[in-house]
Amino acid sequence: MGRKHKTTVTFLSMDADPDNHVPVPARKMALMRCTKPPLHFYRYLYDAIGRDHIWVDRKRKSDEELAAIIHDDLTEIYVLYVDGAPAGFAELNFREPGICELVYLGLTPDSVGGGLGEYLLAQAIDIAWQHPITKMKVQTCTLDHPRALGLYQRLGFVPYAQTETEVEELD
């Protein structure tokens, strides 16, 4: 059994497109939808981005379980490339009618700073509201980047609940 980490999870939502105007960072970059990503590529991104934040849920899934989630037609994954290399990703879930859940959003450690996170979040919000939704939701916890909660709020999400939980690292 791995080490356990206590964390506070904050649940946030937004009920309308906030029409954010976030400056595009002055970098060579592209945001591309990754339709049905190869499992090894998804696992690479998930680990590279989530390792420092104890992202373990998807690591616990078998290949079949993971493929069922990320290859679902109602899941959209967008990969941010900077200077030709993957720098972050956003995963949107549209399985619940009228609602988009921002399941994952993050940057590789060497990509943090310089406005890339704010840009990626603003793009994910814009993409979500191009669908027929009436609500967008996300959750973050105290294991995530220390500025995550403030960024979500700055771009239009409103907290509506909190809970305490434990996350167990994988050995």
Side-chain angles (χ1 to χ4, degrees), residues 70-136:
I70 67 171
H71 294 166
D72 187 299
D73 291 338
L74 298 175
T75 296
E76 296 183 10
I77 297 169
Y78 294 86
V79 180
L80 178 65
Y81 294 88
V82 175
D83 297 326
F89 86 110
E91 181 177 330
L92 304 173
N93 171 335
F94 294 96
R95 286 190 203 95
E96 195 174 341
I99 296 175
C100 173
E101 180 182 7
L102 177 57
V103 182
Y104 289 102
L105 181 128
L107 298 172
T108 58
D110 59 329
S111 300
V112 174
L116 291 174
E118 182 178 31
Y119 173 77
L120 180 57
L121 177 57
Q123 292 301 304
I125 291 168
D126 186 53
I127 290 166
W129 285 102
Q130 291 176 29
H131 291 73
I133 64 170
T134 57
K135 180 184 288 292
M136 187 171 183

Side-chain angles (χ1 to χ4, degrees), residues 5 42-60 88-91 103-108 120 139-141 143-145 148 152 167-170:
H5 301 266
Y42 182 90
R43 288 188 189 281
Y44 158 76
L45 286 174
Y46 187 87
D47 182 60
I49 293 164
R51 182 181 317 122
D52 294 342
H53 306 291
I54 325 294
W55 287 9
V56 295
D57 293 345
R58 297 285 170 86
K59 290 181 179 184
R60 290 188 167 108
F89 86 110
E91 181 177 330
V103 182
Y104 289 102
L105 181 128
L107 298 172
T108 58
L120 180 57
Q139 58 182 278
T140 188
C141 74
L143 297 174
D144 287 339
H145 191 280
Y152 287 128
V167 176
E168 185 176 348
E169 286 185 50
L170 296 176

